[in-house]
Amino acid sequence: MTGLSQDRSITLSVDAMGGDQGPAVVAAGVTKFLSSDPAAQVLLHGQREILEPLFKGSDVASRVEIVHATDVVAMTDKPSNVMRSGKATSMWSSVEALRDRRASVCVSCGNTGALMAISMIRLRKAEGVNRPAIACLWPSRNPQGFNVMLDVGADIRADQDDLLAYAMMGASYARNGLGLTRPRIGLLNVGTEEHKGRAELKVASDMIASAADKGDFEYVGFVEGGDIPSARVDVIVTDGFTGNVALKTGEGTATLISGLLREAFLSSVASKVAALLTRGAMARLKTRIDPRQVNGGVFLGLNGLVVKSHGSADATGVSAALSLAARLARSDFSERLAHRIAGVSAPHQDAPKEIKA
């Protein structure tokens, strides 16, 4: 991924209580991140009596401000219930800090539905956006090493206007997150032929193609599931239902392959010797496909930058999500994206603003 200077001071708002691994893992991830980013500070939201001991004597303690929040959003909580009675939670507090401009970005490992609901209510949708999207980075054969895919679970529905907005947002993310001047956009379908797919996909395809010049991207047309990790495309656009199924399938397949390789290398004396001989190459492969290294789904289409870390993330995964959040915040990504969407959210709108996203 493209790098930005760490000289610029940045404050991140972090929900310490969300996720499956508990606050100790989040705190370890914060420590790991701050150790690598000397200009960053963290507002850490959660129960003070639990969090303070985790940073006692730490070299980064002076750059962590604990914001006390009594309640916790559980992974099983319904978003509607959180909206009614969740104002005292660490998740609500972390989003509120972003809304009040006490931080430049919010990061949480918690309940995705609740985080999106709170973010939409407190931050509001950006102008020209009907449905926000969650974008993820997918390992690929491209020189940048990753492709962007969205939506991967913000909303199971998406009509042609939503898919056009996703294309605009995905292109902006690829420019700011991956350093691509003119990203290649593909629309996920059951085939690459023009006559295949649902009616709204065909309409969306025409709309995205018409907006390519204004949106400063290249449209490659329909792509299939096998193209998601390919070098044919940089951004894959789809609805949240399809994107989430694809994401979870990819994660499950990666886990399966890792397990099968381990079993194969331990199956005999000869295979154990082979494992030793290929240890360096296998370590590079593991790093290359390790989902922890690109942990962090970015909420796009809101008036504020929110990054959702995987619920089961370990300290390495949490640190990766924080690094991604800091990188995007330092690029003024939210402001650039707002200009792009407001200027080019539909083909019939006026020409885009001078500021490029």
Side-chain angles (χ1 to χ4, degrees), residues 277-291:
L277 294 174
T278 60
R279 182 168 53 184
M282 293 306 296
R284 289 191 295 272
L285 173 62
K286 182 178 180 181
T287 299
R288 183 73 176 77
I289 65 174
D290 187 354

Side-chain angles (χ1 to χ4, degrees), residues 126-245:
E127 181 184 352
V129 175
N130 179 40
R131 291 189 176 95
I134 302 176
C136 74
L137 293 176
W138 196 293
S140 78
R141 290 186 174 275
N142 274 315
Q144 69 269 16
F146 304 98
N147 290 341
V148 177
M149 186 167 75
L150 72 165
D151 177 25
V152 294
D155 198 316
I156 62 172
R157 301 161 297 174
D159 61 20
Q160 57 265 25
D161 293 322
D162 298 322
L163 294 171
L164 172 61
Y166 294 171
M168 297 294 177
M169 294 190 289
S172 185
Y173 183 19
R175 272 188 290 271
N176 289 278
L178 300 177
L180 303 178
T181 303
R182 191 175 173 85
R184 296 165 299 165
I185 309 292
L187 184 59
L188 192 61
N189 199 356
V190 294
T192 59
E193 298 86 353
E194 292 184 2
H195 66 276
K196 288 191 173 181
R198 302 190 304 269
E200 66 268 23
L201 286 179
K202 298 173 185 177
V203 176
S205 181
D206 292 338
M207 293 171 67
I208 295 172
S210 298
D213 288 338
K214 287 184 179 180
D216 201 18
F217 61 81
E218 178 185 342
Y219 181 54
V220 303
F222 289 135
V223 295
E224 298 179 282
D227 293 314
I228 295 174
S230 76
R232 183 188 171 208
V233 67
D234 302 305
V235 178
I236 300 95
V237 173
T238 188
D239 62 87
F241 182 91
T242 306
N244 191 264
V245 170

Side-chain angles (χ1 to χ4, degrees), residues 49-106:
E49 64 274 15
I50 294 176
L51 298 178
E52 281 187 342
L54 297 176
F55 290 93
K56 188 174 182 180
S58 171
D59 293 338
V60 302
S62 62
R63 291 190 282 141
V64 177
E65 178 184 343
I66 296 174
V67 181
H68 183 66
T70 57
D71 295 344
V72 177
V73 175
M75 287 297 196
T76 54
D77 286 346
K78 293 182 178 180
S80 57
N81 292 339
V82 176
M83 295 310 300
R84 287 195 298 269
S85 57
K87 291 185 178 181
T89 65
S90 58
M91 181 181 288
W92 192 292
S93 179
S94 63
V95 174
E96 201 70 17
L98 175 61
R99 180 179 182 271
D100 294 343
R101 299 182 182 275
R102 288 180 285 138
S104 299
V105 59
C106 171

Side-chain angles (χ1 to χ4, degrees), residues 264-277:
F265 278 128
L266 296 176
S267 62
S268 66
V269 174
S271 62
K272 290 179 181 178
V273 173
L276 288 174
L277 294 174

